[in-house]
Amino acid sequence: MNLIPIISSDLSEVGYNPSTQQLEIVFNSGGVYLYSDVTSDEYQGLMNASSKGRYFHASIIHHPYVRIN
């Protein structure tokens, strides 16, 4: 998955695979998580949000996830 650097106080990089609906997030703290069942609309909402951390906590955090690093 290609990761895109973003400007956020919480998140460092984001990658999305629309065919599997998986969202990979690298946090500034160093953790890397893979979220499942994330729709394209939710991903676009994250990328367009003025506060990506706030959007993540409101819309993405409830999805199933695994820590991959």
Side-chain angles (χ1 to χ4, degrees):
M1 188 174 315
N2 292 330
L3 296 176
I4 300 168
I6 59 172
I7 298 171
S8 169
S9 60
D10 290 335
L11 316 176
S12 173
E13 296 175 271
V14 174
Y16 183 68
N17 184 332
S19 63
T20 62
Q21 293 192 319
Q22 291 183 314
L23 176 69
E24 184 173 341
I25 296 181
V26 179
F27 289 87
N28 288 333
S29 62
V32 182
Y33 292 80
L34 189 63
Y35 292 85
S36 301
D37 304 326
V38 178
T39 66
S40 293
D41 287 344
E42 289 173 312
Y43 170 68
Q44 287 304 318
L46 175 65
M47 297 308 287
N48 294 328
S50 59
S51 172
K52 291 173 179 37
R54 187 175 299 135
Y55 184 90
F56 167 79
H57 287 285
S59 301
I60 305 295
I61 199 167
H62 66 277
H63 286 275
Y65 68 89
V66 294
R67 184 174 180 151
I68 57 177
N69 184 7

